[in-house]
Structure formats: structure tokens, C-alpha cells
Amino acid sequence: MPVCAPGIGQAPSYVNGFVMTSMNAADSAAQLLIVPGGTTPGAVTMTYSAVHKLWELYERFEKTGVQRQQRIILAPREASEAMPARAAQTNAALQKRIKQLPGSVDVILETSGSTTGNPRLVGLSFGALVASARATHEALGGPGRWIVALPVHHVAGLQTLIRTCVAEASPIIADMSAGFDEEALTVACRTGADDGDNRAYLSLVPKQLHDALEAGGELVEQLARLDAVLVGGAGTSSNLLDRARAAGINVVTTYGMSETGGGCVYNDTPLPGVQIRTVDGRIHIAGPVLMDGYVDGFDRPFDVEDGQRWLRTSDAGEWDGHRLQVLGRADDVIVSGAVNVAPTRVADVIAAAKDVSDVAVVALPDEKWGQVVAAAIASPCIRAKIDEAGADLPAHENEVYAKFAKQIRDLVGEQLGRDHAPRVIAVVNELAVTPLGKVDRHAVGAMVANLVASEAAWVR
């Protein structure tokens, strides 16, 4: 069944059963192939077929030097946007956004926009994605089969398919389209671990790792049998990592983004071929994994020195020449009373506290301090106790709320200093997340502000 529809007045062409359409003014010789994202078996199989087509063209070029005659540009989208009923509309909307299209671009990915609130279209060459896949296998000890448990319209999920092609293997699908599925992930991990002819790998977001550890039982046993479990490092608490490693799981933290073809720093160490530096506290990245640029007209954030492109990220970090510590987005640093507070460090301390399942630290404007540190803490256990003590009471009059807030402030104060302790604490059952499972910082900040206004958050 076709997953794309031709635009109005355009004649379709076909490859592997997909309908493609010629690009508009951006590049009339290119053909845009919209494929479905998500993690359902049907969608993943369709997208894998398209990825494998690009892999065949790339591999032939590597072996023979023969350039591709057919230019296919892969554009993974959410499954609902790529199915026949909406494909033509998606195609037209996507082409309208494309302002520039370098001849080397093979894949167009949309960033989540979870931090900037403004998704961008990232143009990547297949060579950059393959370089990332090969460097990943080198860092992990060799190629292997990959379990697909992340949406393939985002870079982390798409890379599981590209690594699978490079490994000349087949993907193992764990359908997470309806939310975390313990049974589906258990079966997928067992399948990978039982394949004695191949190494087996899995890529997760921190929330999925947390849910897996909470599920326990056979799932954790099967996770421990895998050769490695990748998990996004910047938003992963040390407490969560300690729990996973204590259970025997070989967790590898990753840092990267769509612009770097996925993770490019593993366990704080750059992948082979990747270079790191910091300039005024911001992380800069160089290497063969970088995007060509944004295709929707945004400025290309590169510095070129001696022919080497350096990607200027928006992340703050500390680099000692060997290891990178990511401190979060540079523009997320909270300046409270002339003190610079790194939200990531505060969140990491709070995440280690008892009964805390998730946490996000954001800034709120304040007339006296300029900004104050606000912590949104997901803790169903503490939330239930607060409600039992008096759900209708303002937060500052609720003894349970006040006691818990003091514990959190004391914990942060002891480890980072009192200036870093949150002055606003909101206890909720869960935090807002993006479809990929990342904390939606914009939504969390708005929620905390509303809770403060209604006296439902504790304020010092």
C-alpha cells in the first residue's frame, strides 16, 4: 500500500512500493519520499525498506564510485501524516517549508522543538548518518541487531534502522505506539539476546528506562542480556543510571541531536572521528556526522576554521580534552540574584531523592531576584500524601508539602549551595512530555507558573 500521495498536478514515480513526488522549485530533479514514523510494525517496515534503498545506493557508490542516478530524499513523518489520506497535504506543507536544498542532502528530519518551541528541518547526507552508525558500532564493540523502540521519524529511532542496514541485519520491533509496553519490549529484548550470531543493542529515552526498571522481572533480566542499552545522557539522572547498572544493564549514556545525526558522545567520550570543544562555555562539535544545514531557511550554525566545520550548539558544557559534561541548554541557565544556576545539576540532585520519579528545573521571573529556580517534581506518592493532608489547602499551609519542600531545598543546598536550592516547588503526578518522551520544558514552565498563581505550588 502506498504511504505517500503525489501533489496536485505532479506525476508520481515508484520505488519499493512507495509513491514519490518531484520537488517544487527547491530542486526539480529530486524526489521527496515521505515515510511513516512511529514504532508500529507496519510503519517501521515501510521506513526500513526506504532506508535500505538509500543504503544500497550509498554502498554501491562506496564500492564502485558510481553516482546515483535517482535522487531520493527521505522525509520521515508521524505515521498519521504519511498515510494516503493526508500524504498529499503533508507533502505540500513540507515542500513549502523547504527554502534551500544542498545536493548532498538525502534525509530531512524535523526536530522536536521541545526546547526552542520552534521545530526545524534538518538536512543530512546519508554519508553522515552512516558515519555515525559505524562510529557507534566501533565504540560499542562491533555491529549487531538493533531493537526499534523509538519513533523512526526522530533521529534516535531512525538511526536504529541505519545501524541495522550497516550491520547487514534485520531490525527487531518493539511497538510502543500506545505507550510503554512491557511485554513488547521483553519479547524484543529476548529475541535480540537469543540471537547468538549477532550482538544486540537497544536505544531508549530516560522515561522508558525508568518504566522498564519499575516493571522489573523478566524485562530487566532481558535488558541485562543485551550488549548495550543506549539512553539519552543529558536528561538522565545519576540515580536512574545507578539503578540500571546495579541490575546488570550495560547502560551507555549518549549526547547528540538531529544536527549531529544522533548521539555523538557516548559515556562522556566523543565517538571516533568526532571532535569537541567549548567556546564561552558552549559546546562545539566537528566531524563527519554533522548535518549539511537547515533546509527551512534558518541560519547554518557553523564556524569554519582551516576547512573544518564546527557546529555551534545551544548547549552548555565542560570539556577537559577527554570527557564532556553536558550542563543543559546554555540559554536555560538561571540567573538568580547574580548567581548562575545550571538546571541540569539541580535536577540531578533532586532526582536522587526518595519518592521522586521525574523532575524538571525551570526559571520563573521574579521582581526581586530577576529569576528564581523552580522545580517541578513528579511524585505520585508524595502527591497522594499532600492531598490526604488537605488537597484544598494552599501549598504553604499544607504540612506535608512544606516538609517535603524543606527536604528538597536542604538536599540541594547541602550539595550545591543554598543559592541553588529551588524557591518554587511544584509536586505533581507526572510531567508533560513530548511524543518522544522528553520533558516538554515549555509546558512544564507554564504549568508551574499556573500552580504558583493558584497557590498550588510551594513558594519560599
Side-chain angles (χ1 to χ4, degrees):
M1 180 181 67
V3 296
C4 302
I8 297 174
Q10 294 178 321
S13 57
Y14 299 83
V15 57
N16 288 4
F18 295 95
V19 181
M20 300 187 298
T21 57
S22 296
M23 297 291 291
N24 290 328
D27 186 343
S28 60
Q31 292 179 307
L32 186 66
L33 180 57
I34 297 175
V35 292
T39 60
T40 63
V44 172
T45 300
M46 291 177 183
T47 298
Y48 179 66
S49 176
V51 169
H52 202 277
K53 177 65 176 179
L54 286 182
W55 165 244
E56 289 173 349
L57 295 172
Y58 183 81
E59 190 177 31
R60 183 179 67 179
F61 169 72
E62 279 196 316
K63 291 179 178 179
T64 67
V66 175
Q67 293 283 355
R68 60 190 176 188
Q69 294 181 344
Q70 185 179 31
R71 185 175 180 200
I72 303 169
I73 302 174
L74 201 64
R77 310 295 291 174
E78 289 189 16
S80 61
E81 296 181 10
M83 293 306 172
R86 292 184 57 187
Q89 184 178 10
T90 300
N91 184 298
L94 187 60
Q95 291 201 34
K96 188 175 181 179
R97 293 176 62 188
I98 296 173
K99 307 300 182 185
Q100 53 196 13
L101 194 63
S104 55
V105 169
D106 300 300
V107 176
I108 296 174
L109 289 173
E110 184 171 46
T111 63
S112 65
S114 61
T115 51
T116 65
N118 194 6
R120 297 176 177 178
L121 295 180
V122 174
L124 290 151
S125 70
F126 202 74
L129 293 168
V130 170
S132 174
R134 287 173 172 163
T136 291
H137 288 153
E138 183 178 345
L140 296 180
R145 296 187 72 184
W146 283 84
I147 297 166
V148 183
L150 295 174
V152 297
H153 58 288
H154 291 297
V155 69
L158 185 68
Q159 265 292 5
T160 61
L161 299 183
I162 292 169
R163 295 170 193 147
T164 296
C165 290
V166 171
E168 298 183 350
S170 58
I172 304 168
I173 302 170
D175 187 356
M176 300 284 150
S177 57
F180 183 80
D181 190 321
E182 176 186 350
E183 182 179 358
L185 190 55
T186 301
V187 171
C189 291
R190 187 191 308 128
T191 300
D194 286 346
D195 185 354
D197 295 331
N198 290 288
R199 298 172 68 84
Y201 302 115
L202 170 66
S203 185
L204 299 174
V205 294
K207 180 64 165 58
Q208 289 175 315
L209 179 60
H210 172 270
D211 290 345
L213 293 174
E214 290 297 300
E218 186 188 357
L219 175 53
V220 172
E221 294 174 5
Q222 296 299 336
L223 287 171
R225 295 180 63 203
L226 300 179
D227 291 280
V229 176
L230 307 188
V231 62
T236 310
S237 72
S238 57
N239 183 51
L240 183 62
L241 295 174
D242 289 344
R243 287 179 59 194
R245 288 166 178 156
I249 302 171
N250 181 25
V251 177
V252 177
T253 62
T254 71
Y255 164 73
M257 57 206 76
S258 301
E259 291 87 339
T260 60
C264 62
V265 176
Y266 284 17
N267 283 342
D268 304 331
T269 302
L271 288 178
V274 173
Q275 299 176 57
I276 299 292
R277 70 182 185 186
T278 54
V279 177
D280 296 329
R282 293 205 178 203
I283 300 170
H284 287 202
I285 302 171
V289 301
L290 297 184
M291 68 171 179
D292 284 69
Y294 298 117
V295 302
D296 49 3
F298 284 94
D299 291 337
R300 299 184 180 189
F302 295 116
D303 290 328
V304 181
E305 299 177 9
D306 298 325
Q308 175 72 67
R309 291 189 310 153
W310 287 90
L311 173 70
R312 303 187 305 271
T313 77
S314 298
D315 296 321
E318 295 176 352
W319 170 245
D320 64 7
H322 301 281
R323 303 183 71 84
L324 175 68
Q325 182 180 9
V326 181
L327 303 178
R329 287 184 61 83
D331 50 9
D332 283 341
V333 171
I334 302 170
V335 183
S336 184
V339 175
N340 291 347
V341 179
T344 302
R345 285 178 166 165
V346 176
D348 199 44
V349 172
I350 296 174
K354 183 181 178 181
D355 296 324
V356 173
S357 60
D358 205 356
V359 59
V361 175
V362 298
L364 289 183
D366 183 83
E367 184 175 346
K368 178 179 180 181
W369 299 99
Q371 292 179 318
V372 293
V373 180
I377 302 173
S379 175
C381 175
I382 298 299
R383 185 66 250 178
K385 291 180 180 179
I386 289 172
D387 291 342
E388 185 178 347
D392 296 331
L393 290 174
H396 68 276
E397 295 180 11
N398 189 301
E399 293 183 4
V400 174
Y401 217 142
K403 181 179 179 181
F404 180 71
K406 183 179 185 304
Q407 291 173 346
I408 294 297
R409 280 183 49 80
D410 288 346
L411 180 65
V412 175
E414 290 168 5
Q415 296 192 34
L416 301 178
R418 296 300 290 187
D419 290 336
H420 292 70
R423 291 180 172 272
V424 175
I425 294 176
V427 182
V428 296
N429 285 315
E430 60 182 5
L431 302 181
V433 296
T434 68
L436 190 56
K438 295 181 180 179
V439 171
D440 188 330
R441 295 181 60 82
H442 289 277
V444 169
M447 175 197 69
V448 174
N450 288 335
L451 292 176
V452 169
S454 62
E455 297 189 327
W458 182 90
V459 180
R460 184 178 187 276

